[in-house]
Amino acid sequence: MRRLLLLRHAKSSWDDPALSDHARPLNSRGRKAAAAVAQLFHRLNLAPDLVLVSSARRTLQTLEALSPLPGQPRIEATDSLYLATPDTMLEAIRLVPEETHCVLMIGHNPGMHELAMKLLGRPALEDPQGDVHRLGEGYPTAALAEFTVEGAWDRLSAGGGRLVRFVTPADLAD
């Protein structure tokens, strides 16, 4: 069984209107939330073999806040994941080498939320409970959806994931 971790970047700053969207950094709330997610990764021993991350500053800073991740994963920062559509993200996952057991993708909304909903598929959505219901309501910054995936990465399609958990920064608050 493979594991797919979908993490939306932590809260970013809008303080400098001269910065491009791609260059916006995390704000203090975002840094705090990313640190809480890092603790979650260690507590649950979430150890990705591969990290696919958008090249935007806020996604890279989110990844940096998670470091060191258990297992020292290979990291691929790509421009194609910046504000990517769910289909673009799904295609990136389909290109993951077969020997990879756990993938962490760090990206942006609305694509991240749409991809998570697409992976759930119709049967899960017909009986929304708990985390499935919460995921359907939205995908806040620094939220993590953990899926199990059966079969090969290159065959992943709509409905191909089973939601294990959906965790938001509010769930991690002291």
Side-chain angles (χ1 to χ4, degrees), residues 116-128 132 157-161:
M117 296 305 293
K118 185 175 196 166
L119 290 173
L120 282 176
R122 189 156 214 82
L125 295 176
E126 288 173 359
D127 187 24
V132 171
S157 61

Side-chain angles (χ1 to χ4, degrees), residues 22-23 52-61 76-83 106-108:
H22 193 271
L52 302 174
V53 59
S54 159
S55 61
R57 184 174 180 192
R58 60 192 177 271
T59 54
L60 294 171
Q61 286 183 327
E76 294 181 12
T78 63
D79 291 338
S80 66
L81 292 179
Y82 172 63
L83 302 179
I106 306 174
H108 311 266

Side-chain angles (χ1 to χ4, degrees), residues 4-8 50-54 81 88-90 92-93 103-107 112 115 139 144:
L4 176 62
L5 309 169
L6 300 178
L7 178 63
R8 183 176 174 199
L50 173 65
V51 178
L52 302 174
V53 59
S54 159
L81 292 179
T88 298
M89 288 187 267
L90 186 56
I93 295 165
V103 175
L104 167 61
M105 180 176 278
I106 306 174
M112 186 65 64
L115 174 61
Y139 210 111
L144 173 72

Side-chain angles (χ1 to χ4, degrees), residues 12-13 18-26 55-58 61 82:
S12 60
S13 174
L19 285 178
S20 70
D21 181 69
H22 193 271
R24 286 189 299 113
L26 295 183
S55 61
R57 184 174 180 192
R58 60 192 177 271
Q61 286 183 327
Y82 172 63

